[in-house]
Amino acid sequence: MLSSPLTRITDPERLAALAETGLLDSAPEEAFDRLTRIVVRALGAGASTLTLLDRGRQFFKSSAGPAMPPIRETPLDYSLCQQTAAEGAALTVADTLQDERTRECLAVTRLGVRAYAGVPLVTADGYTLGTLCALDWSPRAWSHEHMETLVDLAAVAVAEIERRRKGALPERAVPELRATDGLVRVMLQQSLAGIFVVQDQRFRYLNPRLAEIFGREAEWMQDRRVWDVIHPADREDAEGYARGQVYGPPRATHYTLRGVHAGGSTLSLEIFAARAEVEGKPAAVGLVLDVSERVRAEREREEAVAARDRFYAMASHELRTPVSAMMLYNELLLGDAYGPLRPEQHDAVERAQRCAAELLELINDLLDLSKLEAGKMESRIEEVELVALAERAVAAVEVLAAEQECRVVIEAPERPLVVAGDGKRTRQVLLNLLSNAVKYGDGKPVHVRVLREGAGAVVEVSDSGPGIPEGDRSRIFDDFVRLDDAPGQGTGLGLPIARRLAQLLGGSLEVSSVVGEGSTFRLVLPG
Ligand code: ADP
């Protein structure tokens, strides 16, 4: 049985000493690689590793040998070295399957390691940080001479590691940050944003909010690897950002990453970070905002809108054909194609035809809306002469205007007035504004003004109707909104479609109104 060395491995002071070396997750270095190569050669081993024992894993600062798999770390279940660390002395196992200390280790059962010799790496102040070891894939003996070589090389490794520790960030940096007094301290403690200092890919400082965002105790996060709280799918990105912060040109960066909450849920985090120097070594300082709620709400909204648009598109296509057919049969009936109709029959079919026309208008509006929402409405760029276009639009609402006994007047100081745009879409917007002005304008005159503005143009449609109360002026551009007292029929989609079309054309549509005096809709078009 493996004795349980875990208490020693998780000893916080030992872990702090290990973190001070800055060696965890660092790139391979010749100073250490030379040692493992010598072990392989001198002991004739299949592999050699310089192993650092971290919380829950062993990290190979260096490895060499023909049989060594290309990995840089394994979980502790695979670690024969933790046994060496637990014993605190050199360990040799000639046949791992015959030795009860090693035969259940996953390195033996899964990776097939059959022989092991390891020497602990113990610092001057007594911390066992890891081991230097030799491995083989068939049972073998380790000679006294082999072990002497291993002990000597381990001493060289420890000297190198100690050198790193002296040059590394001393632990004092953190208490120093913690001891910050006065206003700054209050800001750090009370901040609604998470605040961090990261060095050597570990949290050197964090404020209470940061721990709270991850649902952790501050102690748990202190000195922990940043990757432990980053979503696995984003770790590569995070690594890139971190590298950029520490080694790239000094500038502030803003990015989003997914984090992992203690409860297992995924967090959406917005991060603002900048390069800093702490104790003479590069570090990153920054802010973390938890935007999970906002991102979730946005995603839900996007999904709902997409579902709605799919429904509109499907329903409109499916409905348009039968409604068109219905209207055709009504037309035939009204034209006496099936024999003459009695006056009351004629009246009934006419009413049915009006209802079908309204239905078709709604279906067409829904189709337009879904196309606009899905970004599938295309616009052409052609030369558009706006005065003639306005005149044609006015002619198209003539019947409606006559019904309301309403006069429509065009004012165009400059003609022709040409812009680059999409005539069909511009006409669609104007028709909507004109029919609204006629419908809701109390039969009073409607004015259409076509003016040049900069390189573009403006078309204004004004009525002298009841006007639109201020509180309703932005609402009327929302889908399906009709004001309570709106007379006649309507879908409540005309203005929202008109505004989206104006935006599609690169322009805008706004309203101004004085209650009791009238409303002016202003379509601005680019040149
Ligand atoms: P619809 O005309 O089909 O109802 P719109 O989207 O074109 O839909 O207009 C939305 C609502 O805005 C109308 O129902 C009406 O209440 C109000 N509205 C639009 N234009 C005017 C106007 N010129 N004067 C007063 N109210 C208007």
Side-chain angles (χ1 to χ4, degrees):
M1 273 294 290
L2 269 177
S3 62
S4 175
L6 289 173
T7 34
R8 300 182 72 176
I9 285 188
T10 52
D11 170 5
E13 283 181 15
R14 191 196 75 82
L15 287 168
L18 181 59
E20 279 173 12
T21 65
L23 290 173
L24 285 171
D25 298 308
S26 61
E29 286 170 76
E30 183 57 22
F32 295 104
D33 288 347
R34 194 175 293 138
L35 301 178
T36 50
R37 283 202 305 270
I38 296 176
V39 172
V40 168
R41 259 200 319 273
L43 278 66
S48 166
T49 64
L50 193 146
T51 308
L52 298 174
L53 292 162
D54 194 10
R55 196 197 307 252
R57 61 161 186 163
Q58 56 178 0
F59 172 73
F60 303 134
K61 172 60 192 168
S62 170
S63 61
M68 183 64 201
I71 47 173
R72 293 214 71 204
E73 65 170 68
T74 76
L76 278 181
D77 307 351
Y78 284 81
S79 179
L80 289 161
C81 293
Q82 64 175 325
Q83 196 60 45
T84 310
E87 302 216 344
L91 172 71
T92 55
V93 181
D95 185 343
T96 51
L97 284 178
Q98 302 304 320
D99 192 312
E100 64 173 17
R101 291 171 302 183
T102 55
R103 68 169 159 239
E104 285 174 17
C105 177
L106 294 182
V108 177
T109 56
R110 298 234 177 115
L111 300 181
V113 174
R114 290 298 304 277
Y116 173 89
V119 173
L121 302 174
V122 187
T123 62
D125 44 1
Y127 296 117
T128 304
L129 301 186
T131 65
L132 180 66
C133 76
L135 309 162
D136 244 318
W137 271 255
S138 38
R140 58 165 286 176
W142 305 98
S143 70
H144 183 65
E145 210 171 68
H146 286 153
M147 292 316 287
E148 275 186 341
T149 308
L150 211 51
V151 168
D152 281 346
L153 291 172
V156 176
V158 169
E160 185 63 33
I161 290 170
E162 291 280 18
R163 214 168 57 77
R164 307 305 173 93
R165 255 180 104 198
K166 288 203 188 77
L169 173 82
E171 220 183 332
R172 265 73 62 201
V174 177
E176 208 170 85
L177 279 165
R178 279 208 181 122
T180 314
D181 248 330
L183 266 182
V184 177
R185 184 191 163 89
V186 174
M187 264 167 58
L188 291 170
Q189 294 292 315
Q190 305 291 325
S191 167
L192 291 178
I195 298 174
F196 64 82
V197 175
V198 165
Q199 199 167 43
D200 291 330
Q201 304 175 350
R202 287 178 184 269
F203 289 108
R204 288 296 172 195
Y205 171 80
L206 58 133
N207 72 338
R209 175 63 187 145
L210 191 73
E212 191 186 25
I213 287 175
F214 289 102
R216 301 284 187 181
E217 296 292 325
E219 289 68 34
W220 185 90
M221 290 192 59
Q222 184 69 48
D223 286 326
R224 182 161 292 269
R225 294 186 317 157
V226 174
W227 316 141
D228 291 352
V229 293
I230 302 282
H231 192 281
D234 282 1
R235 281 187 192 150
E236 209 171 301
D237 284 353
E239 208 163 344
Y241 295 133
R243 221 177 297 119
Q245 263 148 29
V246 176
Y247 302 109
R251 64 187 156 85
T253 45
H254 170 208
Y255 48 88
T256 51
L257 277 181
R258 280 167 298 171
V260 183
H261 188 269
S265 60
T266 299
L267 299 163
S268 299
L269 305 173
E270 210 163 341
I271 300 168
F272 301 81
R275 189 207 285 196
E277 202 175 90
V278 176
E279 301 266 324
K281 278 185 65 184
V285 295
L287 290 184
V288 178
L289 298 178
D290 177 8
V291 293
S292 309
E293 272 311 310
R294 197 183 77 201
V295 169
R296 192 168 310 130
E298 270 168 21
R299 195 174 313 128
E300 279 171 9
R301 199 191 142 280
E302 276 166 20
E303 280 166 11
V305 167
R308 187 197 70 180
D309 290 341
R310 272 198 305 278
F311 172 74
Y312 283 177
M314 189 271 294
S316 338
H317 274 298
E318 298 297 314
L319 290 174
R320 203 149 54 162
T321 318
V323 172
S324 304
M326 212 155 86
M327 291 181 76
L328 182 74
Y329 283 112
N330 284 341
E331 229 20 84
L332 290 171
L333 279 169
L334 291 172
D336 294 340
Y338 302 100
L341 298 181
R342 290 201 304 278
E344 64 274 22
Q345 286 173 327
H346 195 275
D347 220 37
V349 177
E350 235 174 22
R351 247 176 285 146
Q353 184 69 326
R354 268 201 302 278
C355 290
E358 271 162 27
L359 193 56
L360 190 64
E361 190 187 324
L362 174 65
I363 292 167
N364 286 336
D365 279 355
L366 284 178
L367 250 187
D368 277 353
L369 194 68
S370 69
K371 275 198 210 146
L372 280 161
E373 283 285 297
K376 283 192 187 139
M377 178 87 84
E378 280 159 16
S379 70
R380 291 179 303 188
I381 297 283
E382 61 198 351
E383 280 202 345
V384 180
E385 205 284 284
L386 285 175
V387 183
L389 186 137
E391 281 168 348
R392 282 200 302 276
V394 169
V397 294
E398 221 166 46
V399 178
L400 188 67
E403 274 173 18
Q404 308 282 330
E405 294 179 8
C406 162
R407 209 158 43 88
V408 184
V409 185
I410 297 190
E411 296 165 25
E414 185 185 327
R415 62 168 65 210
L417 204 166
V418 179
V419 292
D422 184 326
K424 188 171 155 211
R425 304 290 173 219
T426 311
R427 183 182 134 89
Q428 198 177 343
V429 178
L430 268 192
L431 273 179
N432 177 263
L433 299 181
L434 275 170
S435 58
N436 279 355
V438 170
K439 265 198 295 187
Y440 306 124
D442 278 351
K444 296 184 183 142
V446 168
H447 290 267
V448 182
R449 259 172 240 106
V450 188
L451 307 162
R452 178 159 290 289
E453 192 177 79
V458 171
V459 185
E460 284 178 354
V461 178
S462 309
D463 63 65
S464 303
I468 301 161
E470 193 178 348
D472 291 326
R473 275 176 223 156
S474 66
R475 227 161 57 81
I476 54 172
F477 291 98
D478 291 342
D479 299 348
F480 300 109
V481 170
R482 305 199 73 223
L483 300 183
D484 288 343
D485 49 0
Q489 303 287 345
T491 60
L493 286 173
L495 286 176
I497 290 176
R499 176 172 268 179
R500 285 182 178 87
L501 284 172
Q503 287 161 352
L504 180 77
L505 296 171
S508 61
L509 177 63
E510 300 299 337
V511 65
S512 58
S513 184
V514 177
V515 175
E517 287 184 22
S519 312
T520 296
F521 285 83
R522 191 176 148 85
L523 170 67
V524 179
L525 295 167

